[in-house]
Amino acid sequence: MRLQIKRLWSQIVFLIGANLGALGLRTGFCYPFFYCHACPAAPAACPLRAIEKAFYDHSFEWKLLLYPILTLGFVGSLTGRGVCGWACPIGFLQRGTGHVARKIRKKKRAQKIGQLRIEPFFRYIKYILLIATVIITPYYIKFMFTDICPTGMIVGTFPLLAVYPGKFVPNDFFMYASVVLILFFILIFIIERGWCRYFCPIGAILAPFNKVSFVNVAVNQEECLHCNLCSMECPMGIDVPNMNRDPECILCGKCIEKCPANIIKFERIKWKE
Amino acid sequence: MERIIIAQIAVFLIVTGSFGGMFLYTDVYEDVQAKIVETICLSCAKLDTNLPVQFTFETANGKGHPDFVIDILKNKGPILIQYGEKACAACEDMLDNIIKPEFELDFDKTITRDFDIDIHGLNFTYVYIYIDDPATPQEKIDSYDVYDIEYIRGFPMFTIITIEYDHSGIIKPYYASLYGKFEPNNNYKKMKETFFELIETSMELWDRNIAGYDV
């Protein structure tokens, strides 16, 4: 079976798993990816909600901070951001919109923007977003990432409105969250994996684990032809031939399939050289 | 052995050991399950409710009314329960704009407690249940499921309980539940009027029926 077909099946299985609450399963685990516990079918908690609760209104609860981070750390130390590429339902959504983004990327103006030197700095936004809206603003001004979360709108708010017709009406924050949601959709349609690249706070927690994960994507740089087909294929816009455990790599394996010299591989733990 | 492998194993062991330790030796799993997964902060979901207020005798989960409710109904009068949680803007809004100013209360929102209210001709017991307060008795936390008549699991929820004759002629607890900020556009005046009307109705029913109420 082709790698991308395996990945598709994995994403479908995890999407179903993320909604097992529909069968009455409600656990005390945190999702190791981006999904909302407000979803009527959610069996687990959003890690960001737990962190926000840990810091909310000048409080600090170490258990609610460590628990989601360790959940993500456990998955991250095994596969790094592989969970973004193989399990996250929002990643799955962006896999669908990526085809449109790819067509847009071929246009000259988009290529010019893509070549801007400032682009790599945009990737730090997700770390700033994580610290600012999941830790600092909940602590000081009670404003949380959850209040404007686009995933919360997609899998929480709208399904709740559908499952309980007539029971709910939108509140004050609905308008602001809708604007963020529209921007989210524009982003993922014009930039492949735009949310994962620039804004996902869960990706920001998982990214450092790419440096020490048991599984990673490795390039044999000595045999590389520098044809750049891998970089053109990479949905995260990584300079694949020169990467070394890049924090942005979601282990989707597209570069592995594209490489004509077959020198890009999944590397697992090596006990001996 | 390469340095990277030592680092990988060290990180994995630290993370797995800490995660396993938390899982086994703390109550964080139960906390996350009960206070995040099984609840919905309605303001975080960007929703208010639009439901008619209806009194009923049937409890939401089919279980009996909790002892603390029966005690208050028998000995004091009608009850207004507010269920709140941490990091819930609507819970705080309702406290700051309705409950505290209208009933002249001043208390720490993170502590579960009861108040006997006697103001504006209203006489009832206000029970504030904050599920994130570790000292909250389990009976009070479990009472949420008794009164969540719409099966929403949403916070904040307000329940007004009094006593009334049921269809078989027996006097029983009679309650209505309201969710979130139950009037659109932050109409606190309308919310206040709704609370006052409900409490007045509850007081009338309690005064009329208490003589025949036998638990």
Side-chain angles (χ1 to χ4, degrees):
Chain A
M1 199 190 298
R2 273 187 60 207
L3 190 63
Q4 294 312 311
I5 302 292
K6 284 183 191 169
R7 194 163 73 92
L8 178 65
W9 276 109
S10 167
Q11 287 172 315
I12 291 169
V13 167
F14 276 100
L15 178 64
I16 294 167
N19 288 287
L20 282 181
L23 303 176
L25 178 72
R26 293 200 183 276
T27 72
F29 291 112
C30 289
Y31 285 117
F33 42 71
F34 203 33
Y35 209 70
C36 183
H37 58 272
C39 172
C46 170
L48 299 179
R49 172 71 175 164
I51 299 171
E52 286 168 352
K53 277 189 102 165
F55 286 102
Y56 191 76
D57 195 12
H58 298 86
S59 66
F60 177 66
E61 287 185 55
W62 66 272
K63 283 189 280 186
L64 285 179
L65 170 66
L66 274 186
Y67 186 63
I69 289 177
L70 290 172
T71 304
L72 292 165
F74 174 70
V75 178
S77 60
L78 290 173
T79 67
R81 283 186 79 178
V83 72
C84 306
W86 289 74
C88 179
I90 301 305
F92 190 22
L93 170 70
Q94 290 175 90
R95 184 178 184 169
T97 60
H99 297 288
V100 180
R102 242 158 218 274
K103 281 180 189 166
I104 291 174
R105 196 169 74 177
K106 285 174 187 163
K107 296 195 172 170
K108 274 188 181 174
R109 189 172 291 177
Q111 281 177 349
K112 273 187 181 174
I113 294 169
Q115 286 162 0
L116 288 175
R117 286 191 177 178
I118 199 168
E119 193 275 342
F121 294 101
F122 289 158
R123 293 168 190 254
Y124 292 108
I125 294 172
K126 57 180 172 289
Y127 302 100
I128 296 166
L129 207 61
L130 171 70
I131 293 165
T133 63
V134 181
I135 296 170
I136 295 174
T137 58
Y139 187 85
Y140 287 107
I141 58 169
K142 301 186 205 173
F143 172 77
M144 302 175 288
F145 180 80
T146 302
D147 291 329
I148 48 161
C149 176
T151 302
M153 289 288 277
I154 297 167
V155 303
T157 308
F158 290 123
L160 280 171
L161 285 166
V163 170
Y164 302 108
K167 286 188 178 180
F168 292 115
V169 288
N171 76 359
D172 315 343
F173 269 108
F174 188 89
M175 188 71 89
Y176 303 113
S178 298
V179 171
V180 174
L181 181 66
I182 291 165
L183 294 173
F184 167 82
F185 275 112
I186 292 170
L187 174 75
I188 64 173
F189 274 106
I190 62 169
I191 300 175
E192 194 174 11
R193 288 260 176 184
W195 180 257
C196 306
R197 286 189 200 194
Y198 306 127
F199 296 106
C200 182
I202 306 278
I205 298 172
L206 284 167
F209 287 97
N210 266 10
K211 292 288 179 193
V212 289
S213 61
F214 285 131
V215 183
N216 70 298
V217 172
V219 187
N220 184 339
Q221 284 165 344
E222 285 170 13
E223 293 178 26
C224 180
L225 307 172
H226 292 282
C227 61
N228 255 350
L229 284 173
C230 50
S231 294
M232 282 191 272
E233 192 66 15
C234 178
M236 294 295 283
I238 299 169
D239 177 14
V240 179
N242 296 313
M243 81 169 180
N244 179 22
R245 291 184 166 270
D246 194 298
E248 300 299 321
C249 178
I250 56 168
L251 282 80
C252 65
K254 284 189 171 182
C255 53
I256 294 172
E257 286 190 324
K258 202 72 181 176
C259 180
N262 205 20
I263 50 124
I264 309 175
K265 289 195 167 66
F266 280 125
E267 187 179 67
R268 293 167 190 89
I269 190 164
K270 286 191 294 188
W271 298 100
K272 286 178 186 173
E273 270 304 311
Chain B
M1 210 183 290
E2 279 185 73
R3 273 187 190 172
I4 181 71
I5 295 172
I6 295 167
Q8 283 173 328
I9 293 170
V11 169
F12 182 74
L13 288 178
I14 291 166
V15 167
T16 310
S18 310
F19 181 66
M22 281 196 85
F23 191 74
L24 290 173
Y25 299 110
T26 72
D27 54 2
V28 70
Y29 179 89
E30 288 79 14
D31 268 5
V32 168
Q33 185 179 27
K35 295 168 186 173
I36 298 181
V37 180
E38 291 182 347
T39 64
I40 297 171
C41 160
L42 289 172
S43 49
C44 307
K46 280 73 82 178
L47 297 172
D48 285 331
T49 52
N50 185 24
L51 294 160
V53 183
Q54 285 179 323
F55 276 93
T56 179
F57 292 102
E58 304 299 323
T59 56
N61 62 358
K63 292 184 178 169
H65 294 267
D67 290 343
F68 78 91
V69 168
I70 301 293
D71 282 349
I72 297 170
L73 285 177
K74 185 70 188 165
N75 301 312
K76 291 183 179 176
I79 309 163
L80 168 63
I81 307 178
Q82 178 179 356
Y83 296 90
E85 67 165 333
K86 193 178 182 184
C88 164
C91 302
E92 293 184 14
D93 266 14
M94 295 301 275
L95 267 182
D96 295 338
N97 294 299
I98 307 269
I99 302 293
K100 286 184 177 178
E102 295 304 329
F103 303 138
E104 294 183 5
L105 294 172
D106 186 18
F107 61 93
D108 182 350
K109 67 176 187 227
T110 63
I111 296 171
T112 294
R113 56 181 298 185
D114 303 356
F115 299 90
D116 292 327
I117 309 286
D118 187 0
I119 196 167
H120 309 310
L122 303 175
N123 204 324
F124 65 99
T125 301
Y126 169 67
V127 178
Y128 177 62
I129 299 175
Y130 187 72
I131 63 161
D132 287 291
D133 174 7
T136 303
Q138 194 58 42
E139 184 196 29
K140 286 193 170 173
I141 292 174
D142 293 343
S143 70
Y144 183 92
D145 296 327
V146 175
Y147 299 118
D148 181 17
I149 195 67
E150 297 287 346
Y151 306 104
I152 285 176
R153 304 184 289 120
F155 284 81
M157 182 175 85
F158 298 90
T159 302
I160 291 160
I161 315 167
T162 184
I163 46 175
E164 172 64 315
Y165 279 96
D166 76 351
H167 306 300
S168 58
I170 300 167
I171 298 171
K172 285 183 174 174
Y174 189 49
Y175 76 95
S177 292
L178 303 92
Y179 298 84
K181 291 159 90 174
F182 44 84
E183 290 293 340
N185 306 320
N186 285 337
N187 191 341
Y188 294 115
K189 190 171 171 247
K190 194 84 191 293
M191 287 181 224
K192 184 189 118 183
E193 286 169 8
T194 305
F195 271 131
F196 276 44
E197 275 173 32
L198 286 168
I199 293 166
E200 280 167 7
T201 307
S202 302
M203 284 169 58
E204 280 173 30
L205 289 171
W206 190 85
D207 287 340
R208 194 191 307 157
N209 298 316
I210 186 61
Y213 183 46
D214 188 19
V215 181

